[in-house]
Each structure stands twice: as C-alpha cells, then as structure tokens.
Amino acid sequence: WNGKFNQEFGLSIDDVTHFSEIVDKMGIGSYKAQGLGQPVTSSYSLRGTNHTLYIICDNHHKVKGILKIGYKKLFIHNLNHEYEEMTPLCILDFYVHESCQRRGIGKFLLEFMLKSHNIEPRSIAYDAPSPKLLNFLNKHYGLRSFTPQNCNFVVYHDYFQLSDNYHYEILKDDLIIHHTPPLKEIEQQSDPKESVLEPVENEKKEEQENNHCGIVSAIFPHQTETTTSHDKQLEWITKQIEQTKLEISKSEQKIYQHHLENHVSPYSISHPTRNEKSQRIKRLRKNGY
C-alpha cells in the first residue's frame, strides 16, 4: 500500500478509516517493540511519499505483520572507506506481531517483497535495524559484515562484494497464497454471517487466542462489531483544532502580559527605549520641527 486507494477497490469511507486505524496500530506496535521514540509508520505519513507498505494477514484477515520500503539517497562508506552516493531500496520498518514470531511469517513477507522488486537482501539498505533484525538477516541470508554509518543505515559489505557466507533463494510461486477473496465473491454472499470471512469451527479457538494476544482485528468494517464513523473523526479533529487555537491565544496573552510587567518589550509603556523616543519627539515638536 502506498497511501492511496484506487477506485477499483470499491472501498467506502468507513473501510478506508478502519484500514488506516489498523496501519496506525501496527506502527505503534512496531515502535514499541523496537524501543523507538515515536512510530515510523502511520497512515498519514505514507501519503505523498515513495514509500510502500506490505501487510500480511491470515485467512481470517487478521493482520500479522508489516514491511515498509522506499528509496533513499544515501552517502555510504564503501569497502575502501570512501563515501559513495547511492539510492538503494531501503527497509524502513519491519514488524511481526509478538504472538506470531518464529513461524516464518517475517521471512515470507520479506521474500515476497524481494521477489516483487526482483532484488536480493544484500542489495538493500536497512534503516537502523534492531538486534533482532540483524540476527534474522545473519541466520537466513548469511549477512554479517557492515561498516557503521553516520546515517544509521546498514549497508552490508555483500552489497559491494559477495562473501562466502551469503545465500539466498527466490521465493517459489507455489508458496504464494492469496487468502483474500475477490470483492465480487463477498458481495454474492446472501447472508453476512455465512460469508467466506467467517472462521470455520475448528479455527475459532485459534482466532480467540490471537485476539487475546492483541493481534490487530479484521481489515474491513463488516468483520468487526464496532467501527469508527468518519463524521465522528471529523468532529474530533475539529474540536482538537479549536482547542489548539484557544491554547495558542492564551499563551500569546500570557507572553504579552509578561513583557508589559517586566519591561522587556519595545512595546511596553514604561520601556526605556520607548520613553527616550517619546522625549525626543517632544523636544523636536517644541523646537518647531
């Protein structure tokens, strides 16, 4: 996902709103897991950028992980310790929910992206990778050696010259399974309760456990009991704007009053500069100027 919705998706405003909430929740989960200061992935920050967000779900449309990529212009120390300008494909955020880790989900998500872009792991720059991601790349692809950079991006030495440890196999087509049914197939269901989105009996227990673990719920509103209305969001945003305006106005009044009381503003009545200027004007007028 690149922050835009094509008309062919046929999504309503509520669908888009709910989808954006899920992206935001996964972004929050990612930054907390990595110990970052703030989320690096959010629905609004993707708009107007060249970033693309990959999202992996199970067959019940439960989101399991995200992968954000984009191209960045970097200056990297190469093997000769010289700066080299490059614009590689970068992994900007990579997160799999804690309850789903060590099941091959992250590896599948990454290799699906690699195959889509016809690129290898060694040819990618990694934005401030966590120790987990470094161990992951070492375990599955033999990526080990890199020179620390000022920009906090990691570009492995294999980018410039292949090592004996490096290994990578392209994801096979028969492993790529699309769990999401077409929208037309969903519309043909006469009873929403009998939709293909409803879990089968022997998987209900697993779904309940996933919900208990905090996995983000279904992408589309008809899969969840409660949805956030677009009108309510607009109303909340309007209130926040009005509250911010009020706080700014109060702050300006306090600053102005502080200047007047402490004679620190040129506009203060008793400021020495203002008094001196007034006296000079009076003398000029008295002398007939």
Side-chain angles (χ1 to χ4, degrees):
W1 185 57
N2 60 357
K4 300 178 182 178
F5 288 98
N6 297 330
Q7 294 181 354
E8 61 187 26
F9 288 167
L11 299 180
S12 65
I13 294 178
D14 287 340
D15 290 333
V16 176
T17 301
H18 192 66
F19 181 85
S20 300
E21 288 178 352
I22 291 175
V23 172
D24 294 339
K25 287 180 181 179
M26 292 300 290
I28 292 173
S30 176
Y31 100 87
K32 288 183 177 180
Q34 299 181 63
L36 303 176
Q38 60 183 5
V40 295
T41 298
S42 59
S43 56
Y44 70 87
S45 65
L46 285 167
R47 301 186 178 105
T49 68
N50 66 351
H51 300 165
T52 301
L53 183 67
Y54 285 82
I55 303 174
I56 187 169
C57 311
D58 62 11
N59 57 345
H60 305 310
H61 292 194
K62 300 293 182 180
V63 178
K64 303 291 188 179
I66 58 172
L67 173 64
K68 186 172 77 169
I69 61 172
Y71 289 92
K72 293 282 187 179
K73 184 177 181 179
L74 304 174
F75 292 89
I76 300 296
H77 279 104
N78 57 26
L79 296 179
N80 298 322
H81 301 286
E82 298 175 347
Y83 274 116
E84 182 173 332
E85 181 180 348
M86 59 177 68
T87 309
L89 182 66
C90 304
I91 287 185
L92 307 173
D93 197 6
F94 188 18
Y95 170 66
V96 175
H97 193 272
E98 287 77 4
S99 63
C100 308
Q101 294 177 5
R102 300 184 181 278
R103 299 183 185 178
I105 295 176
K107 186 173 183 290
F108 177 86
L109 178 59
L110 175 61
E111 293 186 357
F112 179 85
M113 182 277 295
L114 294 173
K115 183 170 184 177
S116 301
H117 288 265
N118 192 24
I119 195 172
E120 296 187 14
R122 70 181 185 89
S123 302
I124 289 180
Y126 301 86
D127 186 10
S130 65
K132 278 188 176 181
L133 180 54
L134 294 175
N135 292 332
F136 173 88
L137 296 171
N138 181 20
K139 175 183 177 182
H140 294 290
Y141 310 112
L143 292 170
R144 300 177 183 177
S145 302
F146 62 89
T147 301
Q149 309 289 337
N150 295 329
C151 59
N152 292 328
F153 276 82
V154 167
V155 176
Y156 284 95
H157 291 169
D158 294 82
Y159 181 95
F160 307 100
Q161 183 178 352
L162 279 175
S163 66
D164 296 334
N165 297 321
Y166 179 75
H167 52 87
Y168 168 67
E169 294 183 5
I170 300 177
L171 186 67
K172 297 180 180 179
D173 291 333
D174 57 353
L175 295 178
I176 301 176
I177 303 174
H178 300 283
H179 297 292
T180 305
L183 291 176
K184 292 182 179 179
E185 183 179 347
I186 297 175
E187 292 173 355
Q188 291 175 357
Q189 298 290 334
S190 59
D191 188 355
K193 294 182 179 180
E194 298 178 357
S195 171
V196 293
L197 301 177
E198 189 71 13
V200 294
E201 290 296 330
N202 58 359
E203 292 182 346
K204 283 187 177 181
K205 183 177 180 181
E206 179 183 353
E207 182 183 15
Q208 292 174 357
E209 292 176 353
N210 289 342
N211 289 337
H212 180 70
C213 293
I215 300 177
V216 180
S217 60
I219 289 181
F220 300 106
H222 56 261
Q223 296 171 252
T224 180
E225 296 180 357
T226 59
T227 59
T228 304
S229 171
H230 181 64
D231 294 335
K232 289 183 179 180
Q233 276 203 335
L234 290 178
E235 182 180 355
W236 181 84
I237 292 173
T238 302
K239 289 182 180 179
Q240 292 296 316
I241 292 174
E242 294 299 328
Q243 183 178 354
T244 303
K245 287 181 179 180
L246 182 61
E247 292 176 355
I248 292 174
S249 177
K250 290 181 179 180
S251 298
E252 289 178 344
Q253 292 178 0
K254 290 182 180 179
I255 293 172
Y256 180 72
Q257 188 65 30
H258 173 76
H259 286 171
L260 291 179
E261 294 176 354
N262 296 276
H263 311 305
V264 296
S265 172
Y267 301 101
S268 176
I269 297 176
S270 58
H271 194 275
T273 304
R274 184 181 180 91
N275 290 339
E276 182 180 350
K277 185 177 180 180
S278 299
Q279 293 295 331
R280 186 162 60 251
I281 293 174
K282 288 181 180 179
R283 287 196 298 269
L284 291 174
R285 288 178 177 176
K286 185 176 181 180
N287 295 331
Y289 292 98

